[in-house]
Amino acid sequence: MKRKVLSVLLCVMMTAVLAAGCGSDNKDEGKKDDGAKTEDAKDGDVNGDGKIICGYISKNIVDPFHAPINDYAKETFDGLKKDGTIDDWTGILDGETDANKQIDRADECIAKNCDYVIILPAEASASDAAVTKMADAGIKVIVVNSKTDSTDDVAMAYVGPNDVEAGEMLAQWVIDNVPDGGKYAHCQGVIGNSAQIQRGEGIENIMKDNGKFESVGDFPCEWQADKAANVATDMMNQYKDELKAIICDNDDMSSAAQKACNDAGREDIVCVGVDGNENPLQMVKDGEMGATVLQDGPAQVEGAIDLIKKALNGEETEKEVMISFVLVTKDNVDEYLK
């Protein structure tokens, strides 16, 4: 009898232990892992802090091409913050056309726990550290307007033009409008910027097989109007009537070079550049300059911000978004001159 009672007691105890063990397992399943987020992450919340914060590192805040780009970014990001799409953004961080300054701005974005950052690089190699630093910190970086060395490898995306195409368009326009050929000069942007490199490649692609044209040199002008005007004056003095064209990496330079030529009574010299700023467009309309190759800067930033919106909505994003150039002449200038 005692053995029977003891057996019953042992069965009851074992059942209780098993039940307790099962209850413990269920309880553990309901716990969050030690590394779980303390807040429910929003869609597109890269760092999991429960907030969506965006950064914007400009190339600069002063030149005519970048001013409307920055204005578009500010208006759009302010709107996204107001409607609750994002929690905050950094405002326009001035890159001052200086790679070291852009690296400092990248540190600011990291310190602010940005999830996404748009950057318009000052230089291809020197600004690359800003891109890689943010990418290494887990930020989704969108490079706009010109690439850095590691853009294809580490950035979330590139949005901008194919600058080789721009150089080819510049050179082809000169060939088409100076059918007898002659000597030409090339005013370069900041040496090392990908736009400077690739536009030069495009010019060379077209000019190298054209026996009617002869280059008198590539002149570093750092995108600056006064330096291009000086080159135009020097080349006119040196080559006189043999000089027929000045090809410029941007329109600040081309419009200044064309004005220098016009003021010297050399309206026969054609000057052409890239950007399609208001001043060169007005010169085209007034017949003071033949053409410009327009790139739509605000559309580039719009494309970058659209990628952020897609990511926030859980949509697939493109690795590269190309924004085409447009040749603007007197025939279509009214479409682009505001």
Side-chain angles (χ1 to χ4, degrees):
M1 183 66 177
K2 287 181 179 179
R3 288 181 181 175
K4 194 170 184 179
V5 171
L6 183 59
S7 297
V8 171
L9 288 173
L10 286 171
C11 287
V12 171
M13 290 173 66
M14 289 178 66
T15 301
V17 169
L18 288 171
C22 291
S24 175
D25 288 344
N26 290 336
K27 187 175 180 181
D28 288 342
E29 287 175 4
K31 289 182 178 179
K32 291 184 178 180
D33 294 334
D34 290 340
K37 300 169 186 176
T38 57
E39 301 179 58
D40 291 334
K42 300 177 180 181
D43 288 339
D45 179 6
V46 175
N47 55 31
D49 64 356
K51 296 180 179 179
I52 304 296
I53 300 176
C54 296
Y56 181 91
I57 302 174
S58 70
K59 183 175 180 180
N60 63 61
I61 61 172
V62 293
D63 76 45
F65 176 69
H66 287 277
I69 296 176
N70 298 335
D71 289 345
Y72 180 87
K74 183 179 187 310
E75 180 181 350
T76 305
F77 276 125
D78 282 347
L80 293 176
K81 180 179 177 180
K82 185 175 181 180
D83 68 20
T85 301
I86 64 174
D87 293 285
D88 205 357
W89 75 293
T90 59
I92 305 295
L93 300 178
D94 187 4
E96 301 180 44
T97 320
D98 182 328
N100 289 324
K101 294 291 185 183
Q102 291 194 314
I103 294 168
D104 291 341
R105 303 298 177 251
D107 287 332
E108 291 180 41
C109 291
I110 293 169
K112 291 178 183 294
N113 292 323
C114 288
D115 297 282
Y116 303 89
V117 174
I118 292 171
I119 180 171
L120 290 83
E123 299 180 44
S125 295
S127 295
D128 194 55
V131 175
T132 57
K133 202 170 195 180
M134 291 187 290
D136 288 344
I139 294 172
K140 299 292 187 182
V141 182
I142 304 175
V143 179
V144 171
N145 186 246
S146 63
K147 289 185 177 182
T148 65
D149 293 345
S150 298
T151 292
D152 291 339
D153 296 326
V154 304
M156 171 182 164
Y158 168 72
V159 182
N162 175 356
D163 281 299
V164 174
E165 176 190 17
E168 292 174 345
M169 292 172 72
L170 294 172
Q172 190 61 53
W173 186 84
V174 169
I175 289 172
D176 293 343
N177 287 271
V178 187
D180 294 333
K183 298 184 186 299
Y184 75 94
H186 174 209
C187 293
Q188 300 170 298
V190 171
I191 302 301
N193 179 272
S194 70
Q196 172 269 315
I197 295 168
Q198 293 174 13
R199 290 172 193 174
E201 290 176 5
I203 294 167
E204 176 65 14
N205 288 346
I206 300 300
M207 287 299 196
K208 66 182 179 181
D209 296 324
N210 191 294
K212 292 184 177 181
F213 284 88
E214 179 187 351
S215 171
V216 298
D218 301 309
F219 301 91
C221 295
E222 300 180 327
W223 311 117
Q224 295 179 23
D226 58 338
K227 293 184 177 182
N230 290 338
V231 168
T233 299
D234 291 345
M235 294 303 100
M236 284 189 289
N237 290 335
Q238 184 171 350
Y239 295 103
K240 313 248 184 290
D241 290 345
E242 293 182 272
L243 184 70
K244 297 299 182 183
I246 300 175
I247 304 176
C248 301
D249 285 349
N250 82 343
D251 267 337
D252 285 359
M253 296 189 293
S254 67
S255 56
Q258 187 71 73
K259 186 176 186 307
C261 293
N262 294 351
D263 290 348
R266 293 294 308 277
E267 292 91 345
D268 59 304
I269 297 175
V270 299
C271 302
V272 65
V274 181
D275 283 342
N277 301 332
E278 184 176 357
N279 182 51
L281 287 173
Q282 188 64 54
M283 290 178 70
V284 170
K285 182 175 177 62
D286 293 341
E288 298 172 358
M289 189 161 76
T292 176
V293 173
L294 180 144
Q295 66 166 326
D296 193 339
Q300 294 172 22
V301 172
E302 179 183 18
I305 295 175
D306 282 347
L307 290 179
I308 294 175
K309 291 181 193 176
K310 283 185 177 182
L312 296 180
N313 289 330
E315 300 174 33
E316 185 176 349
T317 59
E318 300 91 332
K319 182 69 175 175
E320 191 169 75
V321 178
M322 304 305 293
I323 308 296
S324 297
F325 290 101
V326 179
L327 178 67
V328 179
T329 67
K330 63 181 180 180
D331 296 328
N332 63 344
V333 67
D334 287 334
E335 298 177 35
Y336 303 99
L337 184 60
K338 297 178 181 178

